[in-house]
Amino acid sequence: FAAICRSRYSPEHEFVLKQVSRQQLAALVKDTMSAPAYDHDLSPPSLNAAEPEPRLVLYGCFYNVEGVPAGAYRYDAAAHGLSPVSAGDHRHRLQRAMTLDNVNLSQLPLCFHLAGAADHLRGELGFRGYRIQQMEAGIAVQRLLLAASAAGFGGRPLLGYQAAMCDAVYSLPVLGQTSLIQIAVGPYRPRVRQEAGLHG
């Protein structure tokens, strides 16, 4: 775990388009969305209660993944499978939605979006509902970045994008959902930089 944390890197222009295997993609999505349960007050535990619906959903636009046609997908954590949402290469569409040019999405095989209810617990908890949603999204993003590092990939969380354009790729408005964060994941070339330890 310590080695993976130390090797984690957030590329910008260093992404390099290479093929990703189905096994690598499967490990990424499973590790991201199989977070262990933790105590909270949103859904009190009950021995007879059915498994609650997940509050976060993982979507992704994939290109050059072995055996997976280019397109936008929704990850079903319960079945550990991908459901196609929209076929085709969406990299140009996602690039137009970016408000900064710090990442070239044409060099990217995997672009993930975490989505959740657009009005998450707003009526019951007000702004606390939004903060809870952002906290849980942060946990999932950290898991995705560590899984990417373990696979030898780089991962770059991106907030500089137009959510409405990305939401349209997955038809999220009709589901009452919105994308919370965009994460670029893929192989990268190391940046030339000088490194030194904090302890001489």
Side-chain angles (χ1 to χ4, degrees):
F1 176 75
I4 290 171
C5 289
R6 283 194 296 270
S7 66
R8 189 176 80 75
Y9 183 61
S10 294
E12 289 190 319
H13 292 293
E14 301 94 337
F15 282 110
V16 178
L17 183 62
K18 294 181 181 177
Q19 189 175 66
V20 173
S21 72
R22 293 178 66 175
Q23 291 76 15
Q24 288 171 318
L25 175 58
L28 285 173
V29 295
K30 185 174 184 180
D31 289 347
T32 301
M33 300 307 290
S34 62
Y38 60 94
D39 293 333
H40 55 76
D41 59 354
L42 295 183
S43 50
S46 171
L47 295 178
N48 300 320
E51 191 69 23
E53 285 291 316
R55 287 184 292 275
L56 294 177
V57 183
L58 183 65
Y59 292 86
C61 288
F62 307 139
Y63 179 84
N64 202 26
V65 177
E66 174 195 9
V68 178
Y73 293 84
R74 179 186 190 273
Y75 177 61
D76 182 347
H80 185 47
L82 295 174
S83 299
V85 177
S86 178
D89 180 2
H90 295 284
R91 292 175 301 161
H92 179 67
R93 193 173 176 184
L94 295 177
Q95 190 72 59
R96 285 192 293 113
M98 294 276 290
T99 56
L100 295 174
D101 292 326
N102 58 327
V103 175
N104 181 1
L105 299 186
S106 68
Q107 294 295 315
L108 210 63
L110 311 171
C111 189
F112 293 98
H113 291 85
L114 273 166
D119 60 349
H120 181 259
L121 297 177
R122 189 179 302 165
E124 299 89 336
L125 301 176
F127 288 120
R128 180 171 178 254
Y130 173 79
R131 292 194 297 271
I132 290 170
Q133 185 182 55
Q134 294 298 306
M135 178 194 70
E136 292 191 327
I139 294 170
V141 169
Q142 178 70 349
R143 291 179 64 86
L144 175 56
L145 295 175
L146 291 176
S149 179
F153 298 152
R156 181 79 182 189
L158 300 166
L159 293 174
Y161 68 97
Q162 298 180 46
M165 293 179 69
C166 295
D167 291 354
V169 172
Y170 307 106
S171 302
L172 295 184
V174 298
L175 302 174
Q177 297 178 351
T178 187
S179 55
L180 306 172
I181 190 167
Q182 178 171 275
I183 311 101
V185 174
Y188 66 97
R189 60 179 179 273
R191 177 185 291 178
V192 178
R193 57 182 179 169
Q194 183 176 4
E195 294 183 342
L198 294 176
H199 304 286

